[in-house]
Amino acid sequence: MHNTPTENYFGATLGAKVGPYLQAYWMAADLVCRILRGIVWPKIDLGIRLWLGGIFTASGVLKFANWQTALDLAAHEYPVSWMDPKTAAYVGVTIEVLGGALLAMGLTTRYAAIALLSLTLVSQISYLPFDNQLFWAALFGWFALWGAGLLSLDSLLRRGLAESPLPLVPSIIRASTALKLFSGPLYLSLLRVWFASSLLVVAVRPDLMASTVRLVLPLSAVALLPAPFEAIVGFFLLFGLATRYAAAAALAACSLGLVMRGEWENQYYVLTVLSMLIIHGAGRLSLDHWLGLSLARKLPQWTGRAPYALEGLPRIVIVGAGFGGMACAAALRNARAAITLIDRANYHLFQPLLYQVATAALSPSDIATPVRPLFRENSNVRVLLGTVTGIETTSQRVLLQDQAIPYDYLVLATGATHSYFGQDQWSRFAPGLKRIEDATEIRRKILSAFERAEGISDPLEQRRTLTFLVVGGGPTGVELAGAIAELARFGMEKEFRSFDPAASRVMLVQSAPRLLPSFPPKLGEIAQASLAQLGVEVLLGSRVENIDARGVVLNGSRLDAGTVLWAAGVKASPAASWLHTQPDSAGRVVVAPDLSVPALANVFVIGDAALSNAWHGQPVPGLAPAAKQGGQYVARVIKARLEHRAAPPPFAYRHFGSLATIGRKAAVADFGRIKLWGAPAWWLWGIVHVGFLVGMRNRLSTVVNWMWSYATFSGGVRLITGQDTAVASETETVAGSLDTPASRA
């Protein structure tokens, strides 16, 4: 169906004159509504349920404790004409206690609300009318149709029960969902009209406050403000016009009045209803709803509701779903732009805890979160699984294996990988730790070493098999060596018969004269002492000259080791070669003060892939907080360019401190003037790392696993997965490898 000339003229005129204002209004309202519904409402919903549930549960418990008094009240004070007093007392107390408790927990919320609604209506009609009972009825009706919010047992169990084999339960859940979708918005409109009618009656006909109208309208509760103000707010709410703004104005006025006149008994209910109208809007039967539909039909490109609304918007491509890329994408999710987030994995990985996966303390799922669900509510963000093979800067396209993605703004957050200082053949014998695949491979090597040692009768070969050597004395090497020592000494006792796992040899090799060079010397000494208490042998000032299947050559001497792990160096991703720019010695892209790449328009590099002297003139360290700060800063730069605003000041990295853990109760922490070690540093390390994990499930599972492991001295998920290549490695000829030229590692 084609538009008529009048409709075309209306659309063009409206777009030219009021379009920018409507666009700004729609964007602001949509953003505020998303924040309120997603973050604020679940907490308000929980508060309302706890509040009402507590009122009714307390009333029921008091009646049950004074049962004779409850019977006297049911017989004389508030009798129900169509029910025996004793039966009425039993039914009332049961509904109050059980219904109130279920409502507070958010378990079978709809059915508990229906029972409490029935009890409230009986009290209002058959006994004495009170304004608070009308509000109870309104709120119970809400929960009967809408159910409980996210912070409830119903929300937690709903998805699993909907797919369960329990009889009738999936059908009931589907019916409840349909009821909410179709009847919920209508009830919201009725709630708004009911509240608006109360305001108008009080403002226009105050003489009705003593009439039978008070059976259905809470007139005394809403008689708060001057009559003209109540009439204006009531008019806007009655027709559902600018509902959120009218409700917000009334909420502000009521809050001020509540502070000045705290004796108002029912004002908290008034504030609750106004909050519901602010967060959920006017409902389906309102001018706001119909104007919104008209605006979406006439101007879909401004509302962002149509599938084609992203056409013509600036295209932002972010490569890498690590700390920097995720921070940048999250900060841009509400920008008027089409965002594409590319990564070769479909999850965001919390790398600082990879070593715990490698030593079987945690499962990979504890520290990894799928990326796509994190942007489920952001229609302008597309997540793409793929491997970048190059970048065409002239045509502004990111090349994947099977397609090319055009961009207007490009953010590279591709991180770093292992560096073997030119001896890449060592990677076969000494895996590094950067990905989940690396962690599971290291876990396989460590656990397989113990399993193989059980069947070895030669003491020398068994000792070699149970020798674990970690190359690199930075935080990763220190944490990995300490975790292996703890696994051998505390996690496997009494599990093997031909050897004692505690007799395993764990060695940490460091070419520098001390451990943790990025930490103060005192903390490095403390870390070395803590490792020594765990039985780790620390070899300082030692350089690896060769690595093969049998062990390493260290300072010209042969050292047999069954498992060699690499934590000595990293190099940046090939971002510099993609951009055809000269990298630094570590392969990083040298960036400008705003983290952009010189001579390339709208191209930014952040995190481990970038060299930025934004730390008081020194290079920004390769830490998770630095990557996150860089991602958030680049998002601000891009937003400023999109909105034609002044650019933010140059990027300045704020260093909040460095942490490293050594075992189950020791860690070191450097916060500049403040330095911690031992148990206090360990607790701080645990709190910080749990806080940085993405997703509540990951945080809870990690805390539970830690508590169980540390309380019982039992290991985590000690599964050996993947192909075992140890036998093939053992048969390799390594005699010639001893004659190769020495190389620094």
Side-chain angles (χ1 to χ4, degrees):
M1 183 176 65
H2 299 285
N3 291 339
T4 64
T6 302
E7 289 174 330
N8 291 331
Y9 175 78
F10 169 78
T13 304
L14 181 63
K17 292 184 177 180
V18 301
Y21 301 101
L22 290 173
Q23 179 186 11
Y25 166 79
W26 194 284
M27 290 173 59
D30 185 67
L31 175 60
V32 171
C33 291
R34 285 175 180 270
I35 294 174
L36 292 176
R37 284 196 298 267
I39 300 177
V40 179
W41 175 249
K43 299 176 178 61
I44 294 179
D45 173 272
L46 176 62
I48 295 173
R49 287 189 289 105
L50 292 175
W51 180 23
L52 295 180
I55 291 174
F56 279 80
T57 301
S59 174
V61 170
L62 288 175
K63 291 176 182 177
F64 183 78
N66 300 274
W67 185 243
Q68 187 58 48
T69 303
L71 291 176
D72 293 339
L73 291 174
H76 305 291
E77 293 295 329
Y78 44 89
V80 179
S81 59
W82 44 273
M83 186 178 291
D84 176 73
K86 188 174 182 179
T87 303
Y90 274 115
V91 172
V93 169
T94 301
I95 292 177
E96 286 184 335
V97 174
L98 186 59
L102 292 174
L103 182 72
M105 293 186 295
L107 182 63
T108 62
T109 307
R110 287 186 171 88
Y111 308 103
I114 291 173
L116 292 169
L117 173 62
S118 303
L119 183 64
T120 302
L121 291 178
V122 169
S123 300
Q124 180 73 4
I125 296 171
S126 300
Y127 178 43
L128 291 176
F130 291 105
D131 285 354
N132 62 342
Q133 293 179 151
L134 290 174
F135 282 109
W136 291 348
L139 294 175
F140 291 144
W142 170 275
F143 287 117
L145 290 176
W146 287 77
L150 293 176
L151 301 178
S152 65
L153 292 177
D154 282 344
S155 177
L156 181 65
L157 301 174
R158 182 179 296 119
R159 185 172 183 180
L161 290 176
E163 303 297 332
S164 70
L166 295 174
L168 300 178
V169 172
S171 300
I172 293 173
I173 293 178
R174 286 193 293 270
S176 299
T177 303
L179 182 67
K180 174 182 176 180
L181 292 176
F182 290 101
S183 302
L186 297 178
Y187 183 82
L188 184 63
S189 298
L190 295 177
L191 180 68
R192 170 181 50 80
V193 171
W194 171 75
F195 189 79
S197 301
S198 303
L199 290 174
L200 290 173
V201 168
V202 170
V204 179
R205 293 289 305 275
D207 56 299
L208 295 178
M209 294 182 64
S211 67
T212 56
V213 177
R214 63 192 301 263
L215 287 173
V216 293
L217 296 179
L219 302 180
S220 300
V222 301
L224 317 172
L225 305 168
F229 185 82
E230 288 181 332
I232 294 172
V233 172
F235 172 82
F236 279 96
L237 292 182
L238 181 66
F239 292 99
L241 181 61
T243 304
R244 287 189 169 92
Y245 298 100
L251 180 69
C254 291
S255 300
L256 181 61
L258 185 61
V259 172
M260 298 175 63
R261 297 169 56 186
E263 72 275 6
W264 290 347
E265 181 180 355
N266 294 319
Q267 302 322 307
Y268 297 107
Y269 296 108
V270 175
L271 298 180
T272 299
V273 173
L274 290 173
S275 299
M276 295 168 67
L277 295 177
I278 294 172
I279 293 174
H280 294 281
R284 191 169 293 163
L285 303 178
S286 65
L287 291 178
D288 282 345
H289 177 73
W290 295 110
L291 288 174
L293 292 178
S294 177
L295 180 62
R297 186 171 59 252
K298 299 292 183 181
L299 305 170
Q301 70 275 18
W302 286 337
T303 63
R305 300 301 188 192
Y308 51 83
L310 299 180
E311 294 182 2
L313 293 179
R315 299 162 300 185
I316 303 173
V317 175
I318 303 171
V319 181
F323 290 106
M326 290 291 288
C328 187
L332 288 170
R333 68 173 75 201
N334 294 315
R336 294 295 295 169
I339 302 167
T340 301
L341 178 61
I342 304 173
D343 198 281
R344 61 184 178 184
N346 73 328
Y347 54 82
H348 167 71
L349 175 65
F350 189 75
Q351 285 190 353
L353 289 180
L354 259 182
Y355 81 95
Q356 296 218 356
V357 175
T359 54
L362 294 176
S363 171
S365 61
D366 293 334
I367 65 170
T369 303
V371 174
R372 199 173 296 278
L374 300 177
F375 298 97
R376 180 183 291 136
E377 302 298 328
N378 306 110
S379 59
N380 65 325
V381 179
R382 180 176 66 150
V383 178
L384 196 59
L385 186 68
T387 300
V388 175
T389 59
I391 296 172
E392 293 181 355
T393 56
T394 53
S395 58
Q396 297 193 164
R397 298 193 306 166
V398 176
L399 304 180
L400 305 182
Q401 292 175 322
D402 55 353
Q403 60 180 311
I405 309 298
Y407 69 85
D408 297 305
Y409 296 87
L410 176 62
V411 182
L412 296 179
T414 47
T417 186
H418 318 298
S419 173
Y420 292 90
F421 306 108
Q423 302 292 335
D424 291 342
Q425 69 275 13
W426 293 353
S427 63
R428 296 177 55 202
F429 314 111
L433 189 59
K434 281 293 181 182
R435 304 176 301 158
I436 283 182
E437 293 82 359
D438 300 331
T440 54
E441 169 63 12
I442 291 175
R443 183 181 68 186
R444 186 195 63 76
K445 290 177 71 70
I446 294 173
L447 298 179
S448 295
F450 289 103
E451 297 295 339
R452 291 198 309 272
E454 179 75 354
I456 296 176
S457 57
D458 182 2
L460 293 178
E461 181 61 20
Q462 189 181 69
R463 179 172 176 78
R464 188 194 72 83
T465 303
L466 293 175
T467 298
F468 303 90
L469 189 144
V470 180
V471 182
T476 300
V478 168
E479 292 172 342
L480 193 55
I484 295 174
E486 282 202 332
L487 175 66
R489 283 155 180 75
F490 304 117
M492 296 183 173
E493 58 182 349
K494 300 180 181 180
E495 293 186 6
F496 295 93
R497 301 295 177 261
S498 65
F499 69 95
D500 180 8
S504 302
R505 189 181 186 190
V506 182
M507 308 176 69
L508 179 61
V509 176
Q510 167 73 323
S511 60
R514 65 182 182 88
L515 296 180
L516 301 177
S518 61
F519 285 70
K522 180 180 179 180
L523 295 183
E525 296 172 0
I526 293 173
Q528 183 174 348
S530 299
L531 288 173
Q533 290 180 352
L534 291 173
V536 177
E537 301 177 35
V538 179
L539 305 178
L540 300 176
S542 302
R543 296 183 179 180
V544 174
E545 298 172 354
N546 191 52
I547 304 177
D548 55 38
R550 300 289 299 179
V552 303
V553 176
L554 191 65
N555 293 337
S557 300
R558 181 76 186 176
L559 186 62
D560 288 341
T563 303
V564 181
L565 306 176
W566 187 264
V570 295
K571 63 180 178 181
S573 66
S577 63
W578 294 341
L579 300 175
H580 307 291
T581 184
Q582 184 65 34
D584 74 338
S585 59
R588 297 174 296 185
V589 177
V590 181
V591 296
D594 63 351
L595 302 184
S596 65
V597 180
L600 293 179
N602 297 329
V603 177
F604 303 85
V605 183
I606 59 177
D608 293 347
L611 173 61
S612 171
N613 295 320
W615 187 17
H616 305 296
Q618 300 297 318
V620 174
L623 301 174
K628 295 182 70 172
Q629 291 179 35
Q632 293 164 353
Y633 173 81
V634 167
R636 292 199 301 270
V637 172
I638 294 176
K639 278 185 177 180
R641 295 186 184 183
L642 292 176
E643 299 169 5
H644 305 288
R645 294 184 286 104
F651 176 61
Y653 168 62
R654 297 179 60 190
H655 186 65
F656 296 103
S658 300
L659 295 162
T661 182
I662 313 107
R664 61 186 297 112
K665 60 180 181 180
V668 291
D670 175 26
F671 299 102
R673 296 182 180 180
I674 301 176
K675 297 173 178 58
L676 300 174
W677 57 87
W682 184 89
W683 280 104
L684 181 61
W685 173 89
I687 292 171
V688 169
H689 281 68
V690 170
F692 268 104
L693 285 169
V694 176
M696 184 58 66
R697 189 201 70 83
N698 293 60
R699 296 189 183 107
L700 290 177
S701 64
T702 299
V703 169
V704 170
N705 287 336
W706 278 350
M707 291 176 63
W708 178 259
S709 176
Y710 280 64
T712 63
F713 279 92
S714 62
V717 185
R718 298 207 299 267
L719 301 180
I720 299 176
T721 58
Q723 183 179 2
D724 191 351
T725 59
V727 175
S729 299
E730 292 289 347
T731 60
E732 292 186 4
T733 302
V734 297
S737 64
L738 298 177
D739 298 327
T740 58
S743 301
R744 178 177 179 179

